[in-house]
Amino acid sequence: MAPKVVLMTGCSSGIGLSTARRLAQDPDQRYLVIATVIAMAEKAELVAAVRDAIDKTIFIKEMDITKDEDITRVVDDVIKTHGGVDVLINIAGVPSTILPERASRAKIESIFNVNTIGTIRLTQAVLPHMKQKKAGKIISVSSLAGKQGMPYGDFYSASKFAVEGFFESLLSTVKSFNIKVCMVEPTLVKTRMLPSGLSARNALINDDTIHEIDRRQLRFLCDFVSRFPALSVDDVVDVLVTKCVDVDDPVFRHLVVPPETKKALGEAVADLTGEKSIATVRKLIGAV
C-alpha cells in the first residue's frame, strides 16, 4: 500500500516537529510527510530530529500560511509531485497575552492571520482535490482556549473559537465526500509558548500604567499557571496520531487535559448556560 501523503504546518518546533518526526520515522513507513516551516532559516531543529529520513519519508518545504502565493505553490507542488494530499495537519499558531483594550488592529490581524485565516486558506487549497477523490482527513490543533475563553488571552481564544466554528461547520458538509475532520484541543503544553506567555504576563504585572485590578488578577493567574500540570508535547502527539491520523473514522473533538482536571473542565465546557465556564475561569484570576 502506498504511504499516505501528510502535509503539515508549524514543524519548526514543539508539537509540529514531534508529530513530523513520529510520522516520518514510522517503522512501517506508512506516511510521506511534507513538513513546512515559515522560513528555511527555522528548519535546523527539525533537520536534526529527522536527518536520516530527509528526502525519503519527509520533505521540508518553506511556507508562510499568511501568504496565499506560498500556500498555492506548496499545495500545487505536493499534488503534482506526490499525487495529492491524504492528510492535512494544521499546527502553526501564535500565542497572545495582552490587555484587550490595548491591542491595535495590526496586532489583532497578525494573530488571526496565522491562527485562523491562514489555517482556513490552507484548508481551502486542499479541499478541491480531496472532494474530487472523495477521501481525505483534516486535523487541526486548536486549544482548550478554543472551547473556553481564557483571561488575558482574549484574541488567542477568539482566533481559536473561530477555527473551531469553521471546522465544525465544514465537517457537516464534507462528510458526504468521505472527508474526516478532527480537532485536537490541549490545555497548557510544555512548548515555547508556555514561557512566552509567562513573560508577557509578567511584563503586564510590572507595568504601573495598568489598573491594579488587572495586575492583581494577572499575578494570581501567573501563580495558577505555575502550579497547573502542563502536558508534555508527547501527550498531545500521542492523541493526534493514535486517535486522529491512525483512525479511519475518528471523532471530531479530542480534548487533551491532565487526568486530574478532566472532570471539572468537561463539566464547565458542557454547561449550556456558560456560567460554570465563566466561574471556572474567574477562579484562575482569583476573582469570585
Side-chain angles (χ1 to χ4, degrees):
M1 183 180 293
K4 291 183 179 179
V5 178
V6 181
L7 174 60
M8 296 181 54
T9 67
C11 298
S12 61
S13 64
I15 296 169
L17 186 153
S18 294
T19 303
R21 177 177 57 199
R22 178 157 169 174
L23 296 179
Q25 295 176 345
D26 180 70
D28 297 320
Q29 296 188 351
R30 293 174 294 163
Y31 307 105
L32 191 155
V33 181
I34 314 300
T36 68
V37 294
I38 192 171
M40 283 302 188
E42 299 188 6
K43 72 175 183 177
E45 193 174 340
L46 176 60
V47 169
V50 298
R51 190 177 301 278
D52 293 340
I54 291 177
D55 294 337
K56 296 173 184 174
T57 57
I58 187 168
F59 298 83
I60 302 173
K61 303 284 186 183
E62 181 176 286
M63 181 174 67
D64 182 345
I65 61 171
T66 68
K67 297 177 180 178
D68 282 356
E69 59 270 25
D70 276 21
I71 290 173
T72 299
R73 171 180 51 80
V74 171
V75 171
D76 286 353
D77 180 68
V78 173
I79 292 173
K80 180 180 178 181
T81 305
H82 303 289
V85 176
D86 298 305
V87 182
L88 171 64
I89 306 179
N90 296 302
I91 298 178
V94 293
S96 173
T97 300
I98 191 170
L99 287 185
E101 66 271 26
R102 291 193 174 189
S104 66
R105 177 178 288 273
K107 178 64 175 177
I108 296 169
E109 288 177 349
S110 71
I111 296 164
F112 273 80
N113 278 338
V114 176
N115 293 355
T116 309
I117 298 172
T119 296
I120 291 172
R121 292 295 285 164
L122 179 56
T123 301
Q124 286 179 298
V126 304
L127 271 175
H129 175 75
M130 288 185 174
K131 282 186 170 184
Q132 185 177 30
K133 68 178 184 178
K134 291 193 169 94
K137 188 177 291 181
I138 301 168
I139 303 164
S140 295
V141 175
S142 177
S143 170
L144 174 65
K147 292 284 293 174
Q148 180 171 357
M150 292 298 162
Y152 303 103
D154 310 72
F155 301 106
Y156 179 77
S157 279
S159 69
K160 292 298 187 179
F161 266 74
V163 164
E164 295 263 351
F166 172 78
F167 283 111
E168 185 169 342
S169 299
L170 181 70
L171 176 58
S172 64
T173 60
V174 299
K175 284 189 87 166
S176 301
F177 293 87
N178 193 36
I179 298 171
K180 319 300 182 184
V181 180
C182 290
M183 304 300 296
V184 178
E185 303 161 331
T187 53
L188 293 174
V189 186
K190 296 174 186 175
T191 67
R192 293 172 185 170
M193 289 177 66
L194 198 57
S196 172
L198 178 61
S199 177
R201 286 187 288 272
N202 280 329
L204 291 174
I205 290 168
N206 294 323
D207 183 346
D208 59 11
T209 68
I210 290 175
H211 198 288
E212 179 54 35
I213 292 176
D214 280 319
R215 294 169 71 192
R216 182 181 70 240
Q217 292 182 156
L218 281 158
R219 283 192 290 268
F220 200 97
L221 179 61
C222 280
D223 180 62
F224 174 85
V225 170
S226 70
R227 294 181 285 104
F228 191 84
L231 300 164
S232 71
V233 168
D234 285 343
D235 289 332
V236 182
V237 175
D238 281 343
V239 171
L240 195 159
V241 173
T242 64
K243 295 189 177 181
C244 297
V245 178
D246 287 345
V247 177
D248 289 336
D249 193 17
V251 299
F252 176 54
R253 282 199 167 94
H254 303 266
L255 187 63
V256 191
V257 301
E260 58 269 42
T261 67
K262 189 171 185 177
K263 184 175 184 294
L265 288 174
E267 290 175 352
V269 299
D271 174 32
L272 295 180
T273 70
E275 293 301 316
K276 285 185 179 179
S277 178
I278 297 299
T280 298
V281 171
R282 282 179 61 76
K283 288 180 182 179
L284 309 187
I285 56 176
V288 294

